[in-house]
């Protein structure tokens, strides 16, 4: 799961070429959720947003490969571009919710109170740090007045992402009984 998140959230590009497109990360997360569904039923629900994002990412790779710029396509329709940016972010949040909830339930069943609370708190932190970015950043114009608020929002999103990466990294050892 951790490596899937790394591939989703961290882009490694050479010029216009993405070495590990998001689709690889979503496939990795989907496979991990498939393996985890034996631990708790909620992981099945997390696979749906992962599948949606696999198809979305595949379309993105095709669009990028065919030299069609999605921003250029929708430049005259600013709301379309905003929706195109919001859609994957909201679906990704939905997926992260089910993953955190799964960590919470498994930790609860194994009586790992500290990790259970960590999973619950990380979801809350992720939600509170990400939602403002999703709904404010697309509407901020590029003027200097919005530079500091934009920077704060991007930093918040980065912190939220790091917290989720850390949770996924710690989940394997903690929930399998190797640690804590």
């Amino acid at each position: 799961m951790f490596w899937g998140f790394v591939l989703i959230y961290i882009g490694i590009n050479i010029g216009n070429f993405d070495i590990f497109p998001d689709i690889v990360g979503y496939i990795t997360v989907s496979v991990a959720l498939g393996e985890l569904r034996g631990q708790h039923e909620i992981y099945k629900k997390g696979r749906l947003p992962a599948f949606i994002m696999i198809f979305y990412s595949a379309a993105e790779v095709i669009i990028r490969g065919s030299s069609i710029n999605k921003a250029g396509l929708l430049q005259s329709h600013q709301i379309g571009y905003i929706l195109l940016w919001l859609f994957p972010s909201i679906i990704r949040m939905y997926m992260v919710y089910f993953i955190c909830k799964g960590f919470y339930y498994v930790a609860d069943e194994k009586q790992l109170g500290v990790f259970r609370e960590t999973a619950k708190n990380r979801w809350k932190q992720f939600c509170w740090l990400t939602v403002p970015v999703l709904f404010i950043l697309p509407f901020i114009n590029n003027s200097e007045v919005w530079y500091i608020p934009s920077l704060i929002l991007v930093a918040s999103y980065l912190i939220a992402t790091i917290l989720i990466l850390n949770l996924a990294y710690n989940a394997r050892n903690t929930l399998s009984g190797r640690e804590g």
Side-chain angles (χ1 to χ4, degrees):
M1 181 93 53
F2 169 75
W3 288 110
F5 279 138
V6 167
L7 294 172
I8 291 167
Y9 285 110
I10 298 173
I12 302 171
N13 297 319
I14 296 177
N16 240 1
F17 180 72
D18 191 359
I19 294 175
F20 296 111
D22 291 350
I23 190 170
V24 176
Y26 288 113
I27 290 171
T28 304
V29 168
S30 180
V31 168
L33 288 168
E35 291 176 14
L36 289 172
R37 69 180 166 202
Q39 289 188 15
H40 200 280
E41 172 177 308
I42 197 160
Y43 289 119
K44 290 180 203 173
K45 293 179 181 178
R47 286 188 90 185
L48 176 63
F51 282 134
I52 292 169
M53 290 308 298
I54 288 169
F55 291 111
Y56 179 87
S57 298
E60 216 174 31
V61 168
I62 291 167
I63 288 171
R64 208 177 277 150
S66 66
S67 301
I68 300 173
N69 182 342
K70 65 183 173 189
L73 276 175
L74 298 170
Q75 199 168 33
S76 62
H77 302 90
Q78 187 66 23
I79 193 72
Y81 181 71
I82 290 169
L83 291 176
L84 194 62
W85 184 80
L86 281 176
F87 173 76
S89 300
I90 291 170
I91 299 298
R92 193 171 29 251
M93 274 192 74
Y94 189 60
M95 181 184 72
V96 169
Y97 167 76
F98 284 117
I99 291 167
C100 289
K101 200 66 161 172
F103 292 160
Y104 176 87
Y105 287 145
V106 172
D108 191 49
E109 289 170 2
K110 294 184 178 204
Q111 299 178 349
L112 299 168
V114 172
F115 192 79
R116 181 192 68 216
E117 292 306 308
T118 299
K120 182 172 109 178
N121 291 333
R122 291 290 166 88
W123 163 250
K124 287 180 182 178
Q125 293 162 347
F126 182 78
C127 189
W128 284 107
L129 292 172
T130 303
V131 168
V133 173
L134 295 180
F135 293 104
I136 295 172
L137 200 57
F139 300 103
I140 294 177
N141 60 17
N142 291 329
S143 71
E144 288 182 27
V145 173
W146 292 103
Y147 179 74
I148 297 297
S150 297
L151 192 60
I152 291 169
L153 287 172
V154 170
S156 296
Y157 187 73
L158 180 62
I159 290 168
T161 300
I162 290 169
L163 291 173
I164 292 302
L165 285 169
N166 180 266
L167 180 69
Y169 181 78
N170 291 327
R172 179 178 184 173
N173 292 333
T174 303
L175 297 179
S176 67
R178 294 184 208 162
E179 179 182 302

